[in-house]
Amino acid sequence: MDYEQLSAELLRALRGKRSQQAMGRRLGAKSNVCHQWERGHSFPTAARTLQVAARVGVDVPAAFREFYRTAPRWLSDVDPATPAGIAAFLSDLRGSTSVVELARYSGKSRFAVARFLSGDAEPRLPDFLRLVEASSLRLLDFLEQLTDPRALPSVQESWVRLTAARRLAYEEPWSQAVLRALELSSYATLPAHEAGWIAARIGISLEEEAQCLQRLAESGQIVWRGERWHIENVMALDTRRDPDAARRLRAWWLRRGAARIEGGDRGLMYNLLGVSTADLERLRELQKAYLTEVRAIVARSEPVEHVVLAADLLLDLHG
């Protein structure tokens, strides 16, 4: 991805129908800074970009809350449109990913990444976008909080694919397990695709396997190449975007898990607890940290040898 081009497109989209001169005056700039930004001659810092977004009507704190779905604690203490807020955001997204790994994923030096994370240096917009994608694989979801991704030519097609993939996850949940099965190293070593092989690995019917493969191909997530299916686009799906659909999807997967446990599968551990309100909040923070760690482990896990359903439940029985 050309992050410089994407940055220029984002700044152009934020300007909207205003002229560059009018936008510059709105920002209090003495020169035609918008022309420089949109031509890619220079770029604002990430914090400055968010301040620009705020000037044109974006509720920046609300945008971050929507991106997270469950607001992190740092967001109540720090303005995200400040250097400190940018550092807090990047550090939070990073989770347990090492600086070395983040540098490799983002294409930046370890020294630069460490300074961005500590707040000792402010990333310019292209580097900020690189780090958001490297840390979360959810850059498109972040951009959506600032503007319509369809207005950004560099990611327009990717956004359409992501939208289709998210819709498929809601409508055909097993498709995501089939997609993970196609990542298995044992599938890659097959002489050719075998109908029913995936179904046997994840415990679904041959008809369900065929239906999922067809719909994954229609959504552009997989392609037939040579003798087997290949994953065309690796995307991180945030299924929380539609709260009602996400709730139904979580319940669907919990029912699948319950059915497997009733059938004799192991893997469920539970405790019934009595805790204070303050400690319940601590447990919720721990739950979020656990899920962040799970994602970090999965991102680095090679070879892929198992398809696993990981479900973490923390319910206040009082409601």
Side-chain angles (χ1 to χ4, degrees), residues 13-25:
L14 289 174
R15 176 164 63 85
K17 296 181 179 180
R18 304 172 187 85
S19 68
Q20 291 179 339
Q21 293 78 8
M23 185 65 174
R25 289 194 298 271

Side-chain angles (χ1 to χ4, degrees), residues 199-212:
R201 292 304 179 283
I202 60 177
I204 61 175
S205 69
L206 182 60
E207 292 75 17
E208 287 172 318
E209 175 193 297
Q211 171 73 3
C212 289

Side-chain angles (χ1 to χ4, degrees), residues 11-292:
L11 292 162
R12 171 64 186 86
L14 289 174
R15 176 164 63 85
K17 296 181 179 180
R18 304 172 187 85
S19 68
Q20 291 179 339
Q21 293 78 8
M23 185 65 174
R25 289 194 298 271
R26 188 176 184 86
L27 299 177
K30 295 181 180 180
S31 61
N32 193 352
V33 68
C34 295
H35 175 77
Q36 298 297 313
W37 291 347
E38 293 175 25
R39 296 286 291 181
H41 295 160
S42 65
F43 292 103
T45 64
R48 177 62 169 153
T49 302
L50 294 178
Q51 292 162 14
V52 170
R55 289 288 292 169
V56 298
V58 176
D59 185 335
V60 174
F64 275 77
R65 287 193 295 271
E66 184 66 17
F67 174 74
Y68 274 105
R69 308 299 174 182
T70 301
R73 184 171 297 176
W74 70 263
L75 193 53
S76 62
D77 301 326
V78 184
D79 180 355
T82 62
I86 294 298
F89 176 53
L90 293 176
S91 294
D92 190 36
L93 281 189
R94 166 198 174 191
S96 64
T97 304
S98 71
V99 170
V100 172
E101 290 173 308
L102 197 54
R104 184 171 71 250
Y105 298 152
S106 65
K108 303 300 294 182
S109 71
R110 288 177 291 173
F111 177 73
V113 170
R115 284 174 57 80
F116 292 153
L117 293 172
S118 67
D120 290 336
E122 293 187 59
R124 296 283 169 178
L125 180 57
D127 288 338
F128 173 69
L129 299 182
R130 284 186 178 92
L131 289 170
V132 171
E133 177 63 10
S135 301
S136 68
L137 298 179
R138 292 186 56 218
L139 177 59
L140 293 180
D141 288 327
F142 180 77
L143 291 171
E144 185 198 13
Q145 307 311 317
L146 303 178
T147 191
D148 185 347
R150 293 172 296 181
L152 307 174
S154 293
V155 296
Q156 189 177 71
E157 185 177 340
S158 296
W159 177 252
V160 171
R161 289 198 302 266
L162 178 61
T163 301
R166 191 150 29 210
R167 183 169 58 250
L168 179 56
Y170 294 143
E171 297 174 356
E172 197 80 61
W174 275 123
S175 65
Q176 297 307 294
V178 169
L179 199 59
R180 300 287 77 80
L182 292 176
E183 296 177 335
L184 291 169
S185 56
S186 50
Y187 178 78
T189 60
L190 290 175
H193 175 79
E194 298 176 9
W197 187 92
I198 292 173
R201 292 304 179 283
I202 60 177
I204 61 175
S205 69
L206 182 60
E207 292 75 17
E208 287 172 318
E209 175 193 297
Q211 171 73 3
C212 289
L213 288 171
Q214 178 183 341
R215 296 205 59 186
L216 285 167
E218 290 171 351
S219 68
Q221 295 181 74
I222 63 173
V223 294
W224 181 264
R225 192 178 299 128
E227 299 293 330
R228 72 185 75 254
W229 291 103
H230 294 263
I231 297 176
E232 183 72 357
N233 299 289
V234 178
M235 293 177 285
L237 289 184
D238 180 9
T239 54
R240 298 170 297 176
R241 189 169 182 268
D242 181 334
D244 290 336
R247 186 164 47 250
R248 291 192 297 271
L249 186 60
R250 287 194 297 268
W252 190 94
W253 279 113
L254 286 174
R255 288 194 296 271
R256 301 289 85 70
R260 297 292 175 91
I261 291 167
E262 289 175 352
D265 283 7
R266 302 177 63 183
L268 175 67
M269 296 180 289
Y270 78 95
N271 277 297
L272 286 172
L273 313 169
V275 296
S276 67
T277 299
D279 284 336
L280 178 57
E281 289 306 309
R282 291 178 61 193
L283 289 174
R284 285 173 174 153
E285 289 295 324
L286 187 61
Q287 182 185 41
K288 287 189 286 186
Y290 162 74
L291 293 174
T292 298

